[in-house]
Amino acid sequence: MTLMSIPVAVALVAAAVLFVAIVVALVLGMATGRVRIAGFRGHSSADEGDDLPDETATLLSMMPGVSIVVDANDEVVRSSPDAYRLGVVADDAIVDQTVLDAVHEARRSGGKRLFDLTTTTPQRYVAEANRAEHVESRTSSRPNWLKVTVGRIDDRFVIVLVNDVSDAIRFAQVRDAFIINVSEQLLGPTEALGKLADELEKGELDAQQIARDARQVRSSCDKLNHMVSDLLLLIRAQEPITPSSANRLPLLDQVRETVERLRPQADRFGVGLTVSGDADLVVNDEGGQIDSAVTKLIENAIGYSPEGGVVGVSVTRSKGGDSAVIRVIDHGAGIDKKAQSRIFERFYRGADQNARTADGVGLGLAIAKHVALTHHGDITVWSAPGQGSTFSLTLPLAQ
């Protein structure tokens, strides 16, 4: 008997190894429910996971909103992508215990369950959403307000329908905050004026009392003027920018002008201001939007800096070379991680207010955010309690 040639033997060995590898892969795939052989129907729900009735699968594909289908082993066999973003599903499983309990109850006794649920968005989806909106902040999560319906499809499958009402609730919160802030600011001047009118009407003119009432009227009017001014800036910050040769702006010159305008305010509180950067960077701007954003960032830094502190403002080119970055750095109180998730919201005010910031209405950072959005740029924040804050406004260079 002749011996096989070496090449033929090697080929046979390679074919045998490949065959064994394929068999192992199929066995592992069937065991984990990732591979199914046509015509084979096992008893485990993993094998039956995708065997939804055609009419049910068609209906699910047409339904708006978020839908999740769970099999008898609590494995998610169908899911809308947003179910992961909303923090309901992870790794093909329901991760919220409230939803999972409702699934078990529906599977056991039928009927449907309706309830409200608040979840948090996982960090990776927060980062993706921030990049999509060109706005980033150092946050770990964001709340989602959901209305959930859970019902049984048949003996094997339970469906979870999720209606994300977060935008409506956030809008309602902003609306309520707006109404409260405006009402408070309007009540201040009217109450002060009424008090002053009472004193004058009595005819018992106490010069000191009248002077105190007049100062209160002036202070209340100043707060009201501040709020109206910020609202107008917020509206202006959302006007679109069309790049042209007519609206090219030397950025460092603008930042220096803003810093000099705010220097008396910084001096009044014993805070130093420094400015440095690249004078060759040019951006597009209209209506003084960039001046408004930088003003609000510097005012914010001055307000939270200690007496004797220094606020540094710099203008540099981004690492990619296609954008300019304005950084406003302070060494003040800093912002805790929980508050960082809300600082760019309209009318949001943190709990750590001081005498310098007490008159604010919570629109400054919202204005800066909208300027970033309008210019197709970014705004980011780094901060830690007791270590100060760094706000970075990134703007594309002029076209």
Side-chain angles (χ1 to χ4, degrees), residues 72-84:
N73 283 345
D74 292 341
E75 181 181 355
V76 173
V77 296
R78 296 285 179 92
S79 178
S80 303
D82 282 346
Y84 294 83

Side-chain angles (χ1 to χ4, degrees), residues 267-319:
D267 291 342
R268 188 165 64 251
F269 297 122
V271 176
L273 286 178
T274 65
V275 61
S276 62
D278 188 341
D280 296 330
L281 301 178
V282 178
V283 298
N284 296 107
D285 184 47
E286 288 182 358
Q289 290 190 7
I290 293 176
D291 175 55
S292 298
V294 176
T295 296
K296 292 304 176 184
L297 292 176
I298 296 176
E299 286 180 342
N300 189 70
I302 293 172
Y304 289 100
S305 292
E307 186 174 356
V310 175
V311 173
V313 186
S314 66
V315 178
T316 59
R317 189 181 296 269
S318 65
K319 290 183 179 179

Side-chain angles (χ1 to χ4, degrees), residues 83-362:
Y84 294 83
R85 178 184 62 80
L86 294 173
V88 178
V89 176
D91 298 326
D92 296 331
I94 299 287
V95 294
D96 186 273
Q97 190 60 45
T98 302
V99 177
L100 194 58
D101 291 342
V103 167
H104 294 162
E105 189 176 350
R107 182 185 296 123
R108 183 172 57 253
S109 56
K112 67 178 180 180
R113 276 75 188 161
L114 304 172
F115 55 93
D116 295 333
L117 181 70
T118 301
T119 64
T120 54
T121 298
Q123 173 61 37
R124 62 182 181 276
Y125 296 104
V126 174
E128 290 174 4
N130 285 337
R131 285 193 295 271
E133 297 176 357
H134 305 289
V135 178
E136 296 181 6
S137 59
R138 303 298 182 103
T139 61
S140 58
S141 62
R142 65 178 297 187
N144 304 298
W145 289 275
L146 314 175
K147 290 190 175 296
V148 182
T149 303
V150 179
R152 188 172 67 185
I153 298 176
D154 55 28
D155 292 340
R156 293 179 295 170
F157 301 113
V158 174
I159 187 169
V160 180
L161 302 176
V162 179
N163 182 20
D164 183 7
V165 295
S166 301
D167 287 341
I169 290 179
R170 290 190 184 100
F171 176 80
Q173 290 177 338
V174 170
R175 178 199 61 204
D176 294 344
F178 174 80
I179 293 172
I180 292 171
N181 277 278
V182 171
S183 299
E184 289 177 349
Q185 299 301 331
L186 287 174
L187 283 174
T190 56
E191 289 178 352
L193 284 170
K195 187 175 180 181
L196 179 58
D198 289 341
E199 293 294 329
L200 294 174
E201 188 177 17
K202 290 177 182 178
E204 300 174 0
L205 299 180
D206 182 341
Q208 292 183 347
Q209 182 62 43
I210 291 176
R212 284 194 295 269
D213 292 343
R215 284 194 294 271
Q216 182 60 46
V217 171
R218 181 179 293 109
S219 175
S220 298
C221 288
D222 287 344
K223 291 180 182 178
L224 185 59
N225 288 336
H226 186 186
M227 182 190 67
V228 173
S229 175
D230 278 0
L231 285 172
L232 292 174
L233 287 176
L234 183 63
I235 293 171
R236 190 188 309 160
Q238 298 178 68
E239 296 176 356
I241 299 294
T242 302
S244 70
S245 58
N247 60 17
R248 292 168 64 89
L249 177 72
L251 189 57
L252 184 58
D253 289 348
Q254 176 61 72
V255 170
R256 281 176 173 159
E257 181 180 327
T258 305
V259 167
E260 291 308 312
R261 179 166 46 79
L262 295 175
R263 194 174 295 281
Q265 177 181 338
D267 291 342
R268 188 165 64 251
F269 297 122
V271 176
L273 286 178
T274 65
V275 61
S276 62
D278 188 341
D280 296 330
L281 301 178
V282 178
V283 298
N284 296 107
D285 184 47
E286 288 182 358
Q289 290 190 7
I290 293 176
D291 175 55
S292 298
V294 176
T295 296
K296 292 304 176 184
L297 292 176
I298 296 176
E299 286 180 342
N300 189 70
I302 293 172
Y304 289 100
S305 292
E307 186 174 356
V310 175
V311 173
V313 186
S314 66
V315 178
T316 59
R317 189 181 296 269
S318 65
K319 290 183 179 179
D322 58 349
S323 299
V325 183
I326 304 171
R327 291 187 175 87
V328 179
I329 305 170
D330 70 70
H331 304 282
I335 309 166
D336 65 51
K337 195 171 184 180
K338 183 178 180 181
Q340 288 179 37
S341 65
R342 300 193 61 192
I343 57 175
F344 293 109
E345 294 179 11
R346 302 175 188 181
F347 298 108
Y348 175 76
R349 307 199 68 218
D352 55 343
Q353 302 302 314
N354 57 46
R356 301 181 198 169
T357 63
D359 292 344
V361 294

